[in-house]
Amino acid sequence: MSEKYDVVVIGAGPAGYVAAIRAAQLGLSVACVEQWLDDKGKVRLGGTCLNVGCIPSKALLDSSYKFAEARDHLAVHGIAVKGAEIDVPAMLQRKEKIVEQLTGGIAGLFKHNGVTPVSGTGKVLSGARVEVTDKDGNVQVLDAGNVIIAAGSVPVEIPPAPIDDEYIIDSTGALELREVPARLGVIGAGVIGLELGSVWNRLGSEVVMLEALDEFLPMMDVQIAREAARIFKKQGLDIRLGTRVTGARVKKGAVEVSYTTANGDQTETFDRLIVAVGRKPRSQELFASDSGLTLDERGYIFVNDYCETEAPHIFAIGDVVRGPMLAHKGSEEGVMVAERIAGKPAQMNYDCIPSVIYTHPEVAAVGKTEQELKADGTPYKAGVFPFAASGRALASNDSDGMVKILAHADTDRILGCHVVGPSAADLVQQVVIAMEFGSSAEDIGLTVFGHPTLSEAVHEAALAVNGHAIHIANRKQRK
Ligand code: FAD
Ligand code: AMP
């Protein structure tokens, strides 16, 4: 007899594990199927995010930032550091410890909430049943009242640069380099490429980023992207736009990369090459042909705004469906779906999802960019406040960048916020909350902000929207 659950979740990444926990909190019986195994052959929870994504990359970003601070930026404070050295294996060990702690934490939360972890690879069969094949080939079928697919994504591979896991590596390999490469090539100057490139640049690599597009960070507000490019260049990242990689081959312990630019074909040699050209949904071999599920033209499982697939009682969330590939987007979808299964009228606001690049300074955004507002003809006002005018940013010697707030010209409602600068992620989050409450720029302007804080830059940018900023000259002075 097959086991029966109210909900079977496939995948224990931030989308799946959150859905599983919320469903269990709501009194449903829940199993969560996960194929990831640790080195002892036991099921490993947490998905890409905890194991090879958000968390380990932030651990290395923080370690490398501290190292670069100690080596390069403390003299200005009167602190002399002689002979700062990086112990890469120790840095990796710290990262691994954090990953272990957090993945173990999810196991603890499953236990606490009564979610049953099931080790194996899940496949959706017709009638909302899930077939699970474990590592030894044993097959069981779980009977599910509802199925939530949260199978995530995998790195995109490109034929010109096949991954060999030694010289040509993907984001996972880039989190495990045991030595600092003297010359590091990165294909793709997107979010992941910039974060990983920054880690190794800070540790001493000469980093060259090869980006096919002519525009830097096209999804970001143009003004913010331009400022970010200026700052990254100053840090030593050699970002080459309009550079399409056409081949990569390993020769005498190095990688020879060929690429085309407007000036013709060129080659360059690196000690290691990171391929960071994006991720694709892991939607293959996930469901039987008669399960009723379909994929869209880009391989995502087709869902509506409520993450309902075309088959009754089958939902899909996270990276395996449309929308930004971000951990928190999948988690919120997980909560929404769990609540809807439990009969609650939950929905998700896709217009209010923050995104962050965790370089230093960070680049963060929510809502519309200025170019989007121009393109769709929305009348808008912009307020910008540079960190160079922030007392707190100057006090901490961290005053590159700016906060930009966009509001509707007629209603003053905030439509977007874009930040490059210290703690950009946390500053944008303040505006995410404001936007969720339908705030106007004036509302933020009327809020009291502690002094001296970086948050005051948000206050001043909101005031600047209506020409009322105090600590800069307003572009348009309004009464
Ligand atoms: P995943 O985390 O990919 O989890 C899917 C899980 O499903 C996996 O554990 C997989 O083993 C399992 N699975 C798949 N198929 C099956 C099957 N058939 N049966 C059983 N199990 C299955 N996002 C952010 O928001 N912030 C960041 O700072 C950030 N940094 C990142 C840094 C890097 C280097 C990378 C690679 C990604 C980063 N991301 C970040 C993206 C983030 O990791 C993903 O958006 C997020 O993990 C997606 O969550 P998910 O649950 O949809 O999928
Ligand atoms: P993201 O999706 O944010 O991770 O960014 C991936 C980046 O890789 C995109 O900006 C792509 O333009 C870039 N890219 C994809 N293929 C190539 C290639 N062959 N050469 C250089 N850049 C590429």
Side-chain angles (χ1 to χ4, degrees):
M1 236 191 45
S2 58
E3 296 225 37
K4 195 163 171 41
Y5 294 91
D6 295 326
V7 178
V8 173
V9 182
I10 300 179
Y17 82 70
V18 169
I21 290 173
R22 186 69 191 121
Q25 285 174 347
L26 290 162
L28 302 165
S29 61
V30 184
C32 185
V33 184
E34 173 56 61
Q35 66 188 11
W36 205 309
L37 298 173
D38 66 14
D39 45 18
K40 294 184 193 82
K42 280 181 62 185
V43 63
R44 185 74 177 251
L45 308 175
T48 303
C49 170
L50 264 55
N51 289 290
V52 293
C54 321
I55 298 301
S57 59
K58 264 80 264 178
L60 296 191
L61 278 159
D62 285 339
S63 295
S64 59
Y65 179 67
K66 285 185 197 299
F67 172 67
E69 278 280 286
R71 186 190 53 198
D72 304 328
H73 301 299
L74 295 186
V76 70
H77 297 278
I79 304 168
V81 178
K82 291 210 177 70
E85 280 179 24
I86 183 73
D87 177 343
V88 176
M91 178 183 77
L92 298 184
Q93 216 173 22
R94 187 190 85 96
K95 174 204 70 168
E96 276 314 311
K97 231 170 121 184
I98 296 161
V99 168
E100 299 243 331
Q101 184 180 341
L102 288 171
T103 52
I106 306 297
L109 289 172
F110 272 14
K111 208 168 187 178
H112 176 78
N113 287 286
V115 175
T116 307
V118 178
S119 184
T121 300
K123 183 172 181 176
V124 182
L125 306 179
S126 62
R129 289 168 308 135
V130 176
E131 177 190 87
V132 183
T133 309
D134 75 10
K135 63 177 192 308
D136 304 317
N138 302 315
V139 178
Q140 62 170 321
V141 175
L142 306 177
D143 235 332
N146 300 274
V147 178
I148 305 177
I149 303 172
S153 61
V154 289
V156 168
E157 288 192 40
I158 50 172
I163 305 295
D164 68 6
D165 284 327
E166 191 177 357
Y167 294 97
I168 306 178
I169 54 182
D170 60 14
S171 59
T172 303
L175 296 167
E176 281 159 13
L177 286 175
R178 299 196 69 78
E179 281 172 21
V180 181
R183 291 204 87 220
L184 176 65
V186 182
I187 311 180
V191 178
I192 293 176
L194 283 166
E195 291 187 4
L196 296 172
S198 293
V199 166
W200 297 102
N201 175 51
R202 291 167 186 169
L203 298 181
S205 291
E206 182 190 343
V207 175
V208 179
M209 308 199 62
L210 309 164
E211 168 56 57
L213 299 176
D214 293 324
E215 202 183 334
F216 182 56
L217 296 177
M219 69 296 191
M220 288 284 171
D221 185 274
V222 169
Q223 188 179 4
I224 297 295
R226 206 175 292 140
E227 176 69 359
R230 188 189 68 76
I231 297 168
F232 295 152
K233 201 169 162 193
K234 207 168 69 176
Q235 293 174 354
L237 286 178
D238 181 357
I239 301 170
R240 307 207 190 142
L241 302 176
T243 303
R244 176 168 290 279
V245 172
T246 50
R249 57 189 186 129
V250 179
K251 243 171 68 180
K252 292 189 196 143
V255 194
E256 191 182 270
V257 177
S258 41
Y259 53 89
T260 17
T261 70
N263 300 325
D265 296 347
Q266 299 181 34
T267 58
E268 192 126 5
T269 302
F270 299 104
D271 296 297
R272 293 286 184 280
L273 179 67
I274 300 175
V275 181
V277 294
R279 297 180 63 80
K280 61 177 184 193
R282 184 171 6 206
S283 53
Q284 302 303 316
E285 294 167 26
L286 198 54
F287 52 87
S289 54
D290 62 352
S291 63
L293 297 174
T294 51
L295 300 182
D296 71 14
E297 66 284 358
R298 293 185 304 155
Y300 293 94
I301 294 180
F302 184 81
V303 289
N304 65 13
D305 284 353
Y306 300 114
C307 294
E308 293 163 343
T309 68
E310 291 179 303
H313 301 291
I314 302 182
F315 303 80
I317 58 175
D319 281 9
V320 81
V321 302
R322 84 283 172 269
M325 284 188 166
L326 294 168
H328 44 282
K329 173 260 189 188
S331 299
E332 287 311 310
E333 288 178 333
V335 170
M336 170 180 72
V337 166
E339 296 199 348
R340 291 181 73 83
I341 289 172
K344 289 177 174 283
Q347 56 183 6
M348 166 125 183
N349 182 0
Y350 284 97
D351 293 333
C352 231
I353 300 175
S355 63
V356 183
I357 310 174
Y358 291 88
T359 42
H360 194 99
E362 294 169 349
V363 187
V366 63
K368 299 277 189 191
T369 61
E370 189 163 355
Q371 63 267 26
E372 282 172 338
L373 293 175
K374 270 192 189 134
D376 66 21
T378 307
Y380 69 91
K381 310 175 274 190
V384 174
F385 188 80
F387 285 104
S390 153
R392 187 59 203 262
L394 287 167
S396 53
N397 195 37
D398 208 354
S399 58
D400 272 332
M402 65 184 84
V403 176
K404 176 173 184 176
I405 292 182
L406 298 163
H408 196 283
D410 304 328
T411 64
D412 198 40
R413 190 181 178 123
I414 299 174
L415 302 173
C417 177
H418 308 274
V419 182
V420 52
S423 300
D426 295 289
L427 298 185
V428 158
Q429 192 60 46
Q430 302 180 9
V431 180
V432 176
I433 296 171
M435 286 172 71
E436 273 291 343
F437 286 95
S439 168
S440 63
E442 187 185 27
D443 289 328
I444 295 188
L446 290 169
T447 305
V448 182
F449 280 72
H451 174 76
T453 56
L454 293 172
S455 300
E456 285 172 301
V458 173
H459 189 216
E460 289 276 357
L463 287 169
V465 166
N466 291 309
H468 301 159
I470 300 295
H471 293 91
I472 44 159
N474 290 289
R475 270 197 290 181
K476 278 192 198 131
Q477 192 74 43
R478 293 193 185 87
K479 291 250 160 72

